[in-house]
Amino acid sequence: MQVELSGLRAGYGGRVVLALDALSIADGEHTLVLGPSGCGKTTLLNILCGIDVPVSGSVTVSNVRLDTLSVSQRDHFRGRQIGLVMQRLHLIPALTVEGNLRLAQKLAGFKTDDTHIRGTLASLGIADKLTAQPRQLSQGEAQRVAIARAVINRPALILADEPTSALDDGSCDSAIDLLFSQAKSCGATLIVATHDQRIKPRFSRVLQLSKAAA
Amino acid sequence: MNALRTALPLAIAYLRERTMATLLNIALLALGVGTIIALILTLNQAGQRMERDAAGIDLVVGAKGSPLQLILSAVFNVDIPTGNIPLADAMMISAEPMVKRSIPLSLGDSFRSFRIVGTNPSYLELYDAQIAQGRVWNKALEAVVGAEVARATGLTVGSKFAGAHGLGDGGGDHGDQPFTVVGVLKPGGSVVDRLIVTSLDSVWLVHEHEISAAGASTAKAADAHKHDENREITALLIQYASPMAAVAFPRRINAVSGLQAASPALETARLFTLVGFGISALKLFAGIMMVCAALGIFIGLMNALNDRRADLALLRVLGADRATVLLTVLIQGFALGIAGVILGTLLGHAATEWMGSLVGKIHRVPLTGWTWAREELWVIASALALTLLASLFPAWRAYRDAMPELLSRT
């Protein structure tokens, strides 16, 4: 199992935002988490990557009980095991594309691997952007760099938060294509959280969250 | 170790991103550090010189006038003399039981702005000056030149030169009474390096001639006795037989009309209190520059912290622990500090060397930037401590505020 949740209650300041009694996602079972804003999608991703811990219940990702780890242990786990694609792509503007990818490798505690960086950029069709500054990139190019950063450490789990909601239909399709192909090439399970109904048909497994869950 | 490996390149990238602010902070710090170091080097060298040049001289007797001027002219050979005193008075003082050693000096002429000092060989002994080539004078118009004089003018044993009237360049010269160099001294780090030393007779001879030439050809050397009685010297350097002499001896001399006694130790101390205010003001100014630099670093880091909130959050998302985030900010401040201190130290030494080349040409006073002072380490350490202090709070803020967030939530 890639993900196992049980008896999960999560929230802030005494207010429960998300309740999931049980959830299992198998290795390679790409999953879409669908629901309107405020239903707890982001909270679920935060818990899966160890940014937040639940109020109660257990969280097991890649056979690690995240709810029992310390803050820095969870930081370390996230750096190595999780690839994150956020809605706001946010590359570090002071660093080049290469610098941003190297940073991700170093923060995970891996050696920097320039060959792997070039290969990943090439597989995303942006090999020529290696030494570009983030502000020189188009929106689409920046998203590809963000995807490259998410997969650069060959994570077990890729979490994507609203990766397509700002894109037109064509770009939306190609973004999902890239996510699938990258997840496949590094053997990762993909979980996408969105309110974007357009990509629903692409997933075999859909987890529908609603505000009523609280 | 891994935290450092990650934080260092990131910190450098951040500093490069804000080039102007970075350069301003470095420049400000470098100016502060450089100013203080230049002051330290200059004062140290001046102090060491003065100590060396005044060593063994307890009292200077000369013509009435400013006691500081008397010391500056007779001991350090930088100012003009206060006037002359009768040789007879000087002989009487030398015979006092409280006087262990006395050295007469006669000043007034120079060669290419190096002073010609008429004295006796004990002047060389006082500074422990060794002959490198040749010998000490044994008759009038023979001279021994200091190492720096030999280097700058090219005078060697056997050279002849004519002294110029006055202590600077451009006085009328005594071309008809040339000196012959009979010895060159080893460099000793004292005032003698920059002097041409000869006998008292030589100086008298040069000026007698001048007088007799002016007074027409009335019976040359008419009466040598009369000359002897009227002979004068510029100053008398005195070493006491006992420290007790310092109490009453100067007072007795000052009571004699036309004479004054001045203590090198007291006058140098007075000189340093006179210039001390200016030095303190300069040091304060340099200190303020350093504090401003630290403040600039503090403000820069705090601003950057606000601009880079998203970066900090991202670092955490990518697996950075809080220590790495702290280190990133701390390294930025410290890198500025190190760059400023290195640049400032170079600047201080270069400025001292530059001042030395300017001052050296005019006053023949040596000053070099190619030397170290222990106090410099204190300046460097406090500048680094200041920048570290300035980066501590921003670093702690980053440590505290760097929360990982998926940025869609905001």
Side-chain angles (χ1 to χ4, degrees):
Chain A
M1 279 300 146
Q2 184 55 243
V3 171
E4 286 220 72
L5 305 179
S6 73
L8 186 81
R9 295 289 180 277
Y12 312 92
R15 195 168 62 92
V16 173
V17 178
L18 177 70
L20 275 174
D21 289 326
L23 173 67
S24 296
I25 298 173
D27 282 352
E29 187 185 13
H30 301 330
T31 303
L32 185 69
V33 179
L34 207 57
S37 52
C39 69
K41 296 190 301 287
T42 301
T43 305
L44 177 62
L45 293 192
N46 275 339
I47 283 171
L48 289 177
C49 69
I51 287 176
D52 286 342
V53 283
V55 179
S56 64
S58 71
V59 184
T60 307
V61 177
S62 300
N63 303 316
V64 176
R65 273 286 298 272
L66 290 187
D67 53 304
T68 61
L69 297 182
S70 72
V71 178
S72 61
Q73 280 172 326
R74 278 185 277 130
D75 289 337
H76 191 66
F77 171 84
R78 180 167 59 248
R80 285 181 169 250
Q81 300 291 330
I82 313 274
L84 276 158
V85 181
M86 288 158 285
Q87 184 181 16
R88 285 207 214 148
L89 306 166
H90 197 80
L91 304 169
I92 288 182
L95 300 173
T96 61
V97 167
E98 186 181 32
N100 271 279
L101 296 180
R102 279 187 179 165
L103 181 71
Q105 290 179 326
K106 285 190 222 167
L107 286 174
F110 292 122
K111 278 209 173 74
T112 54
D113 180 350
D114 290 346
T115 321
H116 182 52
I117 287 174
R118 283 196 207 93
T120 306
L121 287 178
S123 73
L124 287 157
I126 46 169
D128 57 327
K129 301 297 175 193
L130 186 72
T131 56
Q133 303 286 329
R135 63 174 168 279
Q136 299 169 321
L137 300 175
S138 70
Q139 177 69 15
E141 288 163 350
Q143 179 156 48
R144 284 165 196 241
V145 176
I147 292 173
R149 183 176 61 194
V151 301
I152 199 74
N153 294 324
R154 298 185 183 88
L157 186 63
I158 298 172
L159 302 179
D161 188 27
E162 302 283 9
T164 58
S165 47
L167 303 178
D168 59 48
D169 291 352
S171 310
C172 171
D173 267 345
S174 64
I176 292 300
D177 286 341
L178 286 175
L179 281 172
F180 276 129
S181 65
Q182 291 296 319
K184 189 178 176 190
S185 70
C186 62
T189 308
L190 177 67
I191 299 181
V192 176
T194 189
H195 66 271
D196 187 355
Q197 299 284 342
R198 289 177 296 179
I199 59 175
K200 193 175 173 181
R202 305 288 300 270
F203 286 83
S204 52
R205 174 144 190 219
V206 176
L207 174 68
Q208 182 79 45
L209 293 179
S210 66
K211 276 185 172 173
Chain B
M1 202 57 222
N2 185 50
L4 189 68
R5 192 174 67 102
T6 315
L8 188 64
L10 192 59
I12 288 168
Y14 278 156
L15 288 176
R16 284 177 54 179
E17 198 187 30
R18 298 183 303 137
T19 320
M20 282 302 155
T22 301
L23 289 183
L24 181 70
N25 283 332
I26 292 177
L28 214 54
L29 191 64
L31 279 176
V33 170
T35 306
I36 294 184
I37 283 183
L39 276 176
I40 286 175
L41 289 176
T42 308
L43 286 177
N44 266 13
Q45 288 180 56
Q48 278 167 12
R49 283 267 151 193
M50 289 180 143
E51 205 175 305
R52 173 88 172 83
D53 292 351
I57 305 171
D58 295 318
L59 198 70
V60 179
V61 179
K64 280 252 193 288
S66 150
L68 182 57
Q69 190 187 347
L70 177 60
I71 298 298
L72 288 176
S73 64
V75 179
F76 304 122
N77 284 289
V78 285
D79 206 348
I80 53 166
T82 48
N84 280 344
I85 59 172
L87 179 63
D89 288 357
M91 305 267 264
M92 262 170 54
I93 293 166
S94 302
E96 290 272 344
M98 279 180 172
V99 176
K100 181 178 158 198
R101 174 149 76 160
S102 67
I103 304 166
L105 295 181
S106 196
L107 306 171
D109 287 350
S110 64
F111 174 68
R112 293 207 207 155
S113 82
F114 287 109
R115 293 186 172 201
I116 299 171
V117 179
T119 180
N120 60 38
S122 53
Y123 187 66
L124 299 180
E125 286 162 28
L126 175 70
Y127 290 112
D128 199 19
Q130 309 283 324
I131 296 278
Q133 279 173 51
R135 56 173 174 83
V136 179
W137 65 86
N138 55 24
K139 61 177 198 259
L141 294 179
E142 289 185 345
V144 165
V145 297
E148 174 60 22
V149 181
R151 194 193 61 78
T153 63
L155 289 177
T156 55
V157 173
S159 309
K160 284 186 187 302
F161 67 95
H165 199 67
L167 298 175
D169 255 339
D173 68 358
H174 303 291
D176 46 347
Q177 298 274 27
F179 284 92
T180 306
V181 178
V182 295
V184 176
L185 298 173
K186 285 183 189 164
S190 74
V191 68
V192 183
D193 289 354
R194 292 170 284 120
L195 295 178
I196 297 165
V197 191
T198 183
S199 65
L200 283 169
D201 287 344
S202 308
V203 178
W204 287 330
L205 192 66
V206 168
H207 289 97
E208 249 164 42
H209 178 78
E210 194 176 58
I211 292 159
S212 60
S217 54
T218 45
K220 278 187 184 178
D223 36 359
H225 288 294
K226 199 182 166 193
H227 266 309
D228 231 28
E229 284 162 27
N230 293 340
R231 273 187 171 150
E232 291 184 323
I233 61 167
T234 311
L236 189 67
L237 309 180
I238 287 173
Q239 205 169 51
Y240 292 142
S242 123
M244 292 301 293
V247 183
F249 194 65
R251 213 177 304 156
R252 269 175 46 208
I253 288 171
N254 282 327
V256 180
S257 75
L259 295 188
Q260 76 161 332
S263 146
L266 287 179
E267 294 307 320
T268 345
R270 205 159 68 86
L271 177 66
F272 272 98
T273 42
L274 283 175
V275 296
F277 177 73
I279 291 165
S280 305
L282 264 174
K283 277 189 176 163
L284 185 71
F285 180 67
I288 288 172
M289 273 199 282
M290 277 167 64
V291 171
C292 280
L295 210 62
I297 290 172
F298 174 77
I299 292 169
L301 290 177
M302 288 304 280
N303 278 341
L305 221 54
N306 290 332
D307 296 347
R308 294 176 182 143
R309 282 191 64 87
D311 281 18
L312 294 182
L314 178 81
L315 290 179
R316 294 295 308 281
V317 166
L318 291 176
D321 51 19
R322 301 208 293 180
T324 306
V325 175
L326 178 114
L327 214 56
T328 306
V329 179
L330 216 54
I331 287 174
Q332 285 179 65
F334 207 56
L336 290 176
I338 288 175
V341 161
I342 290 175
L343 199 67
T345 309
L346 291 177
L347 207 67
H349 283 264
T352 311
E353 182 67 25
W354 181 68
M355 283 191 293
S357 73
L358 286 187
V359 173
K361 279 192 190 112
I362 305 160
H363 295 299
R364 301 291 183 197
V365 177
L367 177 67
T368 174
W370 296 105
T371 179
W372 276 96
R374 192 185 296 257
E375 294 93 321
E376 281 181 73
L377 291 178
W378 279 105
V379 179
I380 290 170
S382 38
L384 288 179
L386 212 56
T387 52
L388 203 59
L389 199 69
S391 359
L392 272 182
F393 182 71
W396 175 77
R397 272 280 300 271
Y399 179 86
R400 194 196 61 184
D401 292 351
M403 299 299 280
E405 32 187 338
L406 293 185
L407 300 155
S408 66
R409 202 160 58 181
T410 47

